[in-house]
Amino acid sequence: MPDTYAGILARELSIKDAQAAAVARLLADGATVPFIARYRKEATGSLDEVVVATIRDRLQQLAELDKRRQAILASLSERDLLTEPLARAIAGATELARLEDLYLPYRPKRRTRAAMARERGLEPLAQALLRQRGLSPPTEAKRFVDAQKGVADVAAALAGARDIIAETVAEDARVRGTLRELFQRKGRVTSRVVKGKEAEGANFRDFFDWDEAVRSLAGHRALALFRGEREGVLSLALRPPEPEALALLTRLTVTGRGEDSREVAAAVEDGYKRLLGPSLETELRAAVKARADSEAIGVFTANLRNLLLAAPLGQSRVLALDPGFRTGAKLAVLDAQGALLHHTTIFPTGSPRQAEAAGVVMRELCAAYGVQAVAVGNGTAGRETERFVRGLGLGLPVILVNEAGASIYSASDVARREFPDLDLTVRGAVSIGRRLMDPLAELVKIDPKSIGVGQYQHDVDQTALKQALDAVVASCVNAVGVDLNTASLELLSYVSGLGPALAANILAHRAEQGPFRSRAELRKVKRLGPKAFEQAAGFLRLRGGPVLDATAVHPERYALVSRMARDVGCQVADLVADAALRARVEVARYVAEDVGAATLGDIMEELARPGRDPRPGFSAFSFAEGVKDMADLRPGMRLPGLVTNVATFGAFVDIGVHRDGLIHVSHLADAYVADPARVVAVGQEVLVTVLDVDRERGRISLSLKRDPLGEGERG
């Protein structure tokens, strides 16, 4: 990593050069973001995953910038165009836009109007006019009239010269930089409906006549506008007011008042409208799109993290139901490890006779298998099936489970590998039950984009979205830790340092040799070398083996913990079990060059709560009785709900009526809310007030304010 990188990163992130350099070295050595953040705190100064990931991404950008810089220098050198000042300017460029501005005048291009004018010998005339020394354009142009070269008269000569001036000004790095700043500062997005598309584009009605400053344009509005344009409904423009842009351009380029300056002014105006304006608008569009993508991806990743880290029921025997009206409810009984014990189909929402038979089956299965909880999918017939189960008086918790993406899992290669002989609907019931037991372990089997917690997810850069979502899944998996002897291929694949190939090798070793007895046995796994072991070991948990193998203490620190135990006269297991013994450990004695207070604090915390799960404790949730569809809703009702999605404009909440309601950002709190994610999170239980019910459009408006309707209006 060039030394300048560390300085750039340090300035941008307000950290020390040494911290940035340390992260860069660790990344170059193959360390993962979770490993660096958890186990290399002394080297990085305890930088968290967010900062480490930002450094990783920015390093990649800077490397790509350098690669482009070298390509430009090589191109200029090959064509003998590289001067000393140009080389210095290119070396000093820290942004891609600046680099491309410097290269633009020399970039090989198609035959433009200016290029053809140069071929006709009009470059000297253009340069003479650009100097603006008071010469007479017609007089000067006469010298360049040449029918054989295609310059028929003075007017043709001046027109060609203006074309050269227009392109020269449009490609001037100083001019482009100044105008670019104006586009960013004063740019406005204007949107008009395409004639004849009013009915077809009704979903974009809000943007049929839109005018807003680009700087205030929210990401979700930008993505909606771009989608409307892509679908041929809207006509968009993203530019500053043209008079202001032309006035600035004139100040930059027109230096006199004579006839030659008027020629330059005309050329500059033409160049702005034909070349510079469209070019900078394209840049601005790309910047707005990138910003909107980043905002949408940020919302998606935050929602996904909350969903993945939802409270697990834990190891319990579960009866899971995938509801349906016509086809009945697919039923699956799972053991405490999630293995399928029994499956069948019942019809709890059918005829009275079918419902009675379904009740008999439910009671018999709950008794026979010692069921401890019932999971009901929240899709079609979910509320009806939930009410049926509650009415049986089983004395068990009955939990509605978000089944978004369960159908994707059912038809996936993962499901076919797990249950090759089962019907898709039975696989769905199994997935619903497992989601209740451990949402993270089950959801990693599904493409995150199928889980339904995104915002304009199909409109954003798909590569960037996938990278961001995969990073969140990996972060969550490593934060929770993975049981080495029970984890699936998909779960193991996200463990730091592993990936699908090594995860498959671990499963093969487990199948051939039996359960792992210690973390050390990982070294015997095919192709799992020292580096992979270093990266993965701390995130893998093993129950029933050496006591530290069940904790997040890294094997590289086992000797240190053993020394602590010896120093207080006990075994490591005693140190874990006895708080009084841990209190006798003089932590400061163990500070060394590579072990500081941060790592020692983590170790002592792990010894106090070995293998702790960072997820919240589980609590059963239930919707309001008697409210099952939109017809039951009235303004003023106070209802319990679950947040299902958070967007920049508000949050969606399931209140048990088969359609989520929206809490607009203005109703998330009594005070102003800038970011909904700071107030609510996916999976959060909330108590909402119904503001309005639009049955025609299927929309429900909700509020979290204490008195959103006013005491006199409440029903």
Side-chain angles (χ1 to χ4, degrees):
M1 179 188 79
D3 292 339
T4 53
Y5 283 10
I8 292 171
L9 290 165
R11 286 193 301 275
E12 290 179 351
L13 300 174
S14 299
I15 59 176
K16 297 177 181 177
D17 287 21
Q19 290 176 291
V23 172
R25 284 194 300 271
L26 288 163
L27 289 167
D29 195 35
T32 67
V33 171
F35 177 82
I36 294 170
R38 173 72 189 187
Y39 295 113
R40 291 297 178 262
K41 292 182 176 179
E42 278 67 39
T44 70
S46 296
L47 296 179
D48 62 23
E49 282 192 25
V50 174
V51 178
V52 173
T54 301
I55 292 173
R56 176 200 60 199
D57 296 342
R58 187 67 174 119
L59 282 171
Q60 183 177 344
Q61 291 173 358
L62 290 169
E64 290 172 354
L65 181 67
D66 269 351
K67 184 178 179 181
R68 179 61 179 154
R69 191 193 322 274
Q70 296 310 313
I72 288 173
L73 290 171
S75 173
L76 292 170
S77 295
E78 287 170 7
R79 292 180 286 141
D80 293 325
L81 297 172
L82 188 62
T83 63
E84 188 74 26
L86 181 58
R88 283 198 304 272
I90 289 172
T94 58
E95 297 293 338
L96 185 60
R98 169 65 176 165
L99 196 58
E100 296 295 351
D101 282 352
L102 292 167
Y103 183 49
L104 185 58
Y106 310 98
R107 183 199 296 273
K109 55 175 74 74
R110 61 179 175 81
R111 289 183 75 231
T112 62
R113 282 164 48 173
M116 290 186 282
R118 290 187 177 99
E119 291 169 3
R120 295 196 295 270
L122 296 173
E123 177 77 32
L125 175 59
Q127 293 303 321
L129 293 173
L130 261 176
R131 284 191 286 271
Q132 302 177 64
R133 293 177 179 171
L135 58 80
S136 168
T139 302
E140 191 71 16
K142 284 180 183 178
R143 299 192 299 110
F144 295 90
V145 175
D146 187 335
Q148 290 185 338
K149 290 183 178 181
V151 185
D153 50 30
V154 167
L158 289 174
R162 288 195 299 271
D163 286 342
I164 294 172
I165 293 170
E167 185 175 276
T168 300
V169 170
E171 293 182 349
D172 182 273
R174 181 179 69 95
V175 170
R176 290 183 68 86
T178 304
L179 263 292
R180 179 180 293 114
E181 192 276 333
L182 178 70
F183 268 67
Q184 294 168 348
R185 183 167 48 86
K186 292 289 190 72
R188 300 195 69 81
V189 56
T190 56
S191 168
R192 302 290 180 266
V193 64
V194 174
K195 189 174 181 179
K197 295 286 186 176
E198 292 83 357
E200 181 183 330
N203 288 340
F204 301 98
R205 188 182 300 113
D206 290 346
F207 302 113
F208 281 2
D209 187 12
W210 192 263
D211 186 340
E212 179 180 4
V214 169
R215 293 177 72 177
S216 68
L217 182 63
H220 65 275
R221 287 201 296 278
L223 293 174
L225 285 163
F226 287 136
R227 181 189 290 179
E229 182 183 50
R230 192 169 59 250
E231 293 182 8
V233 175
L234 302 177
S235 173
L236 294 187
L238 286 84
R239 293 195 185 191
E242 188 172 281
E244 195 167 346
L246 289 174
L248 176 58
L249 199 51
T250 299
R251 287 197 298 273
L252 291 171
T253 58
V254 180
T255 58
R257 297 182 179 180
E259 290 183 48
D260 51 357
S261 291
R262 286 194 287 276
E263 289 288 337
V264 171
V268 166
E269 181 173 350
D270 169 62
Y272 174 77
K273 293 178 178 178
R274 184 168 52 86
L275 303 171
L276 186 55
S279 173
L280 291 178
E281 179 175 3
T282 298
E283 281 189 23
L284 183 59
R285 281 171 169 265
V288 169
K289 177 63 163 59
R291 189 179 72 200
D293 281 4
S294 178
E295 180 182 296
I297 290 171
V299 169
F300 201 153
T301 54
N303 289 343
L304 179 62
R305 181 179 296 276
N306 287 321
L307 191 63
L308 292 175
L309 295 180
L313 174 66
Q315 294 188 340
S316 302
R317 294 180 296 281
V318 171
L319 187 152
L321 293 166
D322 186 358
F325 287 118
R326 184 178 57 83
T327 57
K330 300 302 182 286
L331 181 154
V333 180
L334 310 177
D335 70 12
Q337 284 71 46
L340 178 64
L341 301 176
H342 179 83
H343 68 87
T344 188
T345 301
I346 61 175
F347 293 84
T349 59
S351 67
R353 186 172 179 179
Q354 288 176 314
E356 183 180 352
V360 171
V361 171
M362 287 282 296
R363 291 188 177 92
E364 289 177 350
L365 291 176
C366 287
Y369 291 101
V371 170
Q372 296 168 288
V374 178
V376 180
N378 71 340
T380 303
R383 285 303 309 278
E384 292 79 4
T385 303
E386 177 204 20
R387 282 195 298 275
F388 163 79
V389 177
R390 291 187 186 280
L392 295 177
L394 298 173
L396 301 173
V398 181
I399 302 100
L400 269 177
V401 177
N402 187 340
E403 62 179 52
S407 60
I408 302 295
Y409 162 79
S410 301
S412 69
D413 291 338
V414 177
R416 283 193 291 272
R417 187 176 67 243
E418 287 189 297
F419 303 107
D421 301 322
L422 288 186
D423 180 77
L424 269 68
T425 54
V426 179
R427 294 172 187 164
V430 172
S431 182
I432 288 167
R434 287 177 171 177
R435 284 194 193 192
L436 176 62
M437 297 165 69
D438 190 337
L440 176 61
E442 192 63 17
L443 289 172
V444 294
K445 301 174 184 177
I446 305 171
D447 182 345
K449 288 187 290 186
S450 302
I451 297 176
V453 291
Q455 171 187 322
Y456 291 96
Q457 65 190 62
H458 301 296
D459 296 288
V460 304
D461 183 303
Q462 295 300 294
T463 299
L465 177 62
K466 177 172 172 44
Q467 290 174 345
L469 296 180
D470 285 348
V472 168
V473 177
S475 173
C476 293
V477 168
N478 289 288
V480 172
V482 172
D483 190 311
L484 184 56
N485 280 329
T486 62
S488 66
L489 172 66
E490 291 70 34
L491 202 56
L492 283 169
S493 296
Y494 281 105
V495 171
S496 169
L498 294 185
L502 286 179
N505 290 350
I506 289 173
L507 290 184
H509 186 280
R510 200 168 75 192
E512 294 168 6
Q513 305 296 326
F516 287 90
R517 293 182 295 274
S518 71
R519 278 173 169 167
E521 287 187 4
L522 275 169
R523 300 179 186 276
K524 299 177 182 179
V525 172
K526 184 179 179 181
R527 293 194 175 89
L528 200 154
K531 174 58 68 175
F533 179 84
E534 176 193 59
Q535 295 294 306
F539 301 106
L540 295 168
R541 307 283 185 269
L542 196 141
R543 318 295 174 187
V547 64
L548 293 181
D549 282 1
T551 74
V553 175
H554 197 282
E556 66 188 6
R557 303 300 176 206
Y558 284 7
L560 174 62
V561 178
S562 295
R563 184 154 62 94
M564 289 178 176
R566 285 197 306 272
D567 289 348
V568 296
C570 69
Q571 300 296 314
V572 170
D574 301 325
L575 203 58
V576 171
D578 193 336
L581 289 172
R582 291 195 300 276
R584 289 169 53 192
V585 175
E586 298 177 30
V587 176
R589 289 181 52 195
Y590 304 96
V591 173
E593 185 176 345
D594 63 335
V595 184
T599 294
L600 289 167
D602 286 345
I603 289 173
M604 296 307 295
E605 189 175 345
E606 273 298 311
L607 295 180
R609 294 193 295 157
R612 68 194 186 283
D613 192 325
R615 293 174 290 184
F618 181 83
S619 63
F621 171 85
S622 52
F623 293 109
E625 286 294 329
V627 178
K628 60 182 184 298
D629 55 44
M630 289 184 67
D632 298 323
L633 298 178
R634 298 288 183 276
M637 279 183 166
R638 298 275 283 174
L639 301 170
L642 287 173
V643 178
T644 58
N645 203 354
V646 178
T648 51
F649 52 82
F652 292 93
V653 177
D654 182 1
I655 53 175
V657 295
H658 302 298
R659 186 176 293 276
D660 289 353
L662 172 66
I663 309 175
H664 188 266
V665 62
S666 61
H667 272 274
L668 281 171
D670 289 307
Y672 171 74
V673 174
D675 179 7
R678 294 184 178 275
V679 179
V680 289
V682 169
Q684 180 178 335
E685 298 178 15
V686 291
L687 186 63
V688 297
T689 300
V690 177
L691 292 179
D692 183 58
V693 183
D694 186 341
R695 293 179 179 82
E696 183 179 342
R697 294 197 291 175
R699 294 183 178 180
I700 305 167
S701 298
L702 306 172
S703 178
L704 275 179
K705 289 185 174 182
R706 283 175 294 183
D707 187 17
L709 297 175
E711 289 296 332
E713 299 179 58
R714 180 161 301 177

